[in-house]
Amino acid sequence: MSVETKVDFIIVGQGLAGSVLALELVKRKKNIIVFDEPEKNRASLIAAGLFNPVTGKLMTRTWKAAELFSALRFFYSEAEQVIKKKCFYPMPLYRPFLSVEEQNEWMGKSAESGMLDHIEKVFPHSTYGSDVNDYFGGLLLKNCGYLDTTAFLSGVRQMLIGSNCFKDVYFDETKVGWSDHEVRYEGIRADKIIYANGLGAQQSIFFNQLPLRALKGETLLIKTASTFERIYNRGVYLVPVGEKGVYKVGATYNTKDKTGATTAEGKSELVEKLNGLIKVSYDIVGQDWGFRPTTPDRRPVLGAHPDHPNLVIFNGLGTKGVSLAPYFASQMAQWLCGEGEIEKAVRVSRFY
Ligand SMILES: Cc1cc2nc3c(=O)[nH]c(=O)nc-3n(C[C@H](O)[C@H](O)[C@H](O)COP(=O)(O)OP(=O)(O)OC[C@H]3O[C@@H](n4cnc5c(N)ncnc54)[C@H](O)[C@@H]3O)c2cc1C
C-alpha cells in the first residue's frame, strides 16, 4: 500500500510568483510542495530584475507604488536571511533629460507630494557625463534597484529541496483528482493547488479561458571597462548582473513576435537605444529572450477557479514581477489562510 503525503498547498511553478508565494506560506507555517519543470526561457530568469516606482513614457508613479515598494523592501531583505543568499540590490536610477523643456517639467514635478518620496535629486546640468549623454541634466530616483533573480530563485529552490518539498518535474493536471475538501495528485493530498505557472496557464484545462497574453522581450548582455554606481535608464536600462563591468540591457516589448528565439531586429533596436544613452565602449557578450505573462488590464490575477474552489491562480505579473510579487503574494497567503480578502482589482472573477 502506498503512503500518502498530506500538505496544505501544492504550488505549480517556481518562477517569481511561485517562489515568493512559497516563502510567504512557509513563513505562515504551512506545509507545501512545489512542482517546477525548468524551462530555459522562463520569464523570471530572463528578467533584469529591475524595480522602479516611476515608470512609463510619461514617468508617473506606478499603480500602488507606496504599498508595493514598502512590501518589496521588507520581503526581499527578509528573504535574503531565509535563503542565506545575497540577491537584493537597492540602487539609485538616473534618467537623463532629452531637452530643456523636460528639465523644466521635472523641476516642477519634483515638488509634487507623491513624487517627493521617489526623487533623490533633479540635476539641471550634465552630472554623469563620463558614462552617459546627459547634456540637459537628469533625474536621480530613489527606491529603485534590482533583484538578482537567478540568485533568488536558486536560493529558494535550495531551501525547498532542503526541506524536502520540491519536485523538479512537470505537473500533469490531467492526473488531479478531488473530493469536496481536498485535491489529490500522485499520492499527495492537499487543500488547494495554486497555479503559479506563468504562461503555462495558457495550456491549463482549468485556466486557459483567462486572457493571459505573452509579451516577448529581448535583452543584451554587454561588457564594459566601466563600473556604474547607479542604474541608467532612457529607452533602455543597464542593470548589473554580478560580474564586474557586465550589464543586462533591456528590454524590447513585442506583442506580435511569438518565436522562441532572439532576433536581429531585437538586437538592433537595443543597440540603437543603448548608443543614444551611454558614452563608454562595450562588447556584446550575449542576447536573450523571454515572454512576460500579461493581462489586458495590466493587473495580476489572483483567486479560485469559479467551478473548482480548490484550484487557485496567482499569475499575470506582466512587466513588473519583482515589484508586484511580494505585496500580492502576501495578500494571497492571507486569503489562503482565511485571514483576509483579495482586492477587487486583481480578482480572477473579473474575467469570468
Ligand atoms: C525580457 C524580460 C525582461 C524582464 N525584466 C523585468 C524587470 O526588469 N523587472 C521586473 O519586475 N520584471 C521583469 N520581467 C517580467 C518578469 O520576468 C515576470 O513578471 C515574472 O518573471 C513572471 O513570473 P512567473 O513566476 O509568473 O512566471 P515564470 O517566470 O514564467 O515562471 C513560471 C514557472 O512555472 C513553471 N511551469 C509552468 N507550467 C508547469 C507545469 N505544468 N509543471 C511544473 N512547472 C510548470 C515554468 O517552468 C516556470 O518555471 C521581464 C520579463 C522579460 C521576458
Side-chain angles (χ1 to χ4, degrees):
M1 202 173 75
S2 66
V3 183
E4 282 199 333
T5 308
K6 170 72 177 79
V7 295
D8 296 304
F9 304 109
I10 292 172
I11 298 179
V12 183
Q14 196 240 323
L16 276 170
S19 298
V20 177
L21 183 62
L23 292 187
E24 282 291 335
L25 289 170
V26 168
K27 190 164 87 178
R28 289 170 169 81
K29 309 264 182 277
K30 295 296 169 188
N31 293 319
I32 59 169
I33 287 190
V34 179
F35 285 78
D36 189 68
E37 183 197 35
E39 293 165 5
K40 184 180 175 296
N41 281 79
R42 61 183 150 159
S44 301
L45 281 181
I46 306 302
L50 179 65
F51 53 90
N52 170 12
V54 183
T55 58
K57 281 208 172 90
L58 297 175
M59 291 292 281
T60 48
R61 246 160 64 101
T62 63
W63 178 62
K64 293 182 83 74
E67 294 95 323
L68 298 185
F69 281 74
S70 87
L72 85 80
R73 256 192 312 275
F74 180 77
F75 176 85
Y76 293 119
S77 306
E78 193 180 62
E80 283 185 331
Q81 311 299 316
V82 175
I83 64 173
K84 300 183 178 60
K85 216 170 198 175
K86 178 86 190 128
C87 58
F88 180 53
Y89 298 90
M91 193 178 256
L93 181 147
Y94 185 65
R95 178 180 163 95
F97 295 136
L98 296 182
S99 63
V100 176
E101 288 74 27
E102 192 183 11
Q103 182 199 99
N104 287 337
E105 191 188 320
W106 275 99
M107 290 290 184
K109 260 195 196 174
S110 63
E112 287 172 18
S113 60
M115 285 293 181
L116 273 177
D117 298 343
H118 306 302
I119 294 176
E120 185 69 49
K121 200 161 179 184
V122 180
F123 292 103
H125 308 292
S126 174
T127 306
Y128 302 115
S130 53
D131 295 341
V132 291
N133 292 308
D134 67 339
Y135 315 106
F136 304 101
L139 178 66
L140 191 66
L141 292 168
K142 50 189 176 184
N143 303 327
C144 303
Y146 69 97
L147 177 76
D148 178 342
T149 58
T150 307
F152 174 67
L153 295 187
S154 84
V156 173
R157 179 173 292 223
Q158 289 315 313
M159 192 206 84
L160 294 170
I161 291 170
S163 315
N164 208 15
C165 50
F166 185 76
K167 292 198 181 286
D168 199 3
V169 290
Y170 181 75
F171 180 89
D172 179 358
E173 64 180 3
T174 63
K175 295 182 181 163
V176 173
W178 54 77
S179 53
D180 281 355
H181 300 296
E182 64 178 21
V183 277
R184 291 183 308 278
Y185 183 78
E186 301 212 308
I188 305 166
R189 288 162 46 224
D191 292 347
K192 286 184 175 24
I193 300 173
I194 301 148
Y195 283 68
N197 56 344
L199 288 167
Q202 287 179 324
Q203 273 81 53
S204 163
I205 45 181
F206 302 108
F207 289 108
N208 63 4
Q209 310 253 317
L210 289 177
L212 273 179
R213 293 170 188 163
L215 174 59
K216 187 171 176 181
E218 293 189 51
T219 57
L220 295 178
L221 207 58
I222 62 161
K223 194 166 174 45
T224 74
S226 309
T227 308
F228 304 135
E229 281 165 21
R230 61 205 69 79
I231 293 166
Y232 290 118
N233 179 204
R234 184 86 218 200
V236 284
Y237 52 69
L238 276 98
V239 174
V241 295
E243 203 182 318
K244 198 168 180 296
V246 181
Y247 297 88
K248 193 168 269 198
V249 178
T252 61
Y253 296 83
N254 193 324
T255 49
K256 297 198 179 89
D257 183 3
K258 303 293 174 209
T259 56
T262 56
T263 63
E265 294 76 24
K267 183 176 178 178
S268 61
E269 179 187 328
L270 292 170
V271 167
E272 192 182 321
K273 289 179 175 167
L274 180 62
N275 291 344
L277 175 63
I278 61 170
K279 279 184 173 168
V280 301
S281 60
Y282 61 87
D283 292 316
I284 297 173
V285 293
Q287 187 178 356
D288 226 329
W289 60 273
F291 289 104
R292 307 163 178 96
T294 67
T295 57
D297 57 8
R298 298 183 190 182
R299 302 282 182 257
V301 53
L302 279 69
H305 187 281
D307 304 322
H308 303 291
N310 33 23
L311 299 184
V312 168
I313 191 147
F314 181 39
N315 210 315
L317 297 184
T319 59
K320 294 178 182 155
V322 172
S323 42
L324 290 168
Y327 178 81
F328 284 107
S330 166
Q331 193 170 109
M332 180 92 189
Q334 282 176 31
W335 173 74
L336 287 166
C337 297
E339 295 161 6
E341 290 294 316
I342 295 172
E343 65 189 66
K344 216 170 161 194
V346 300
R347 278 184 207 158
V348 66
S349 54
R350 73 193 190 277
F351 296 124
Y352 286 108

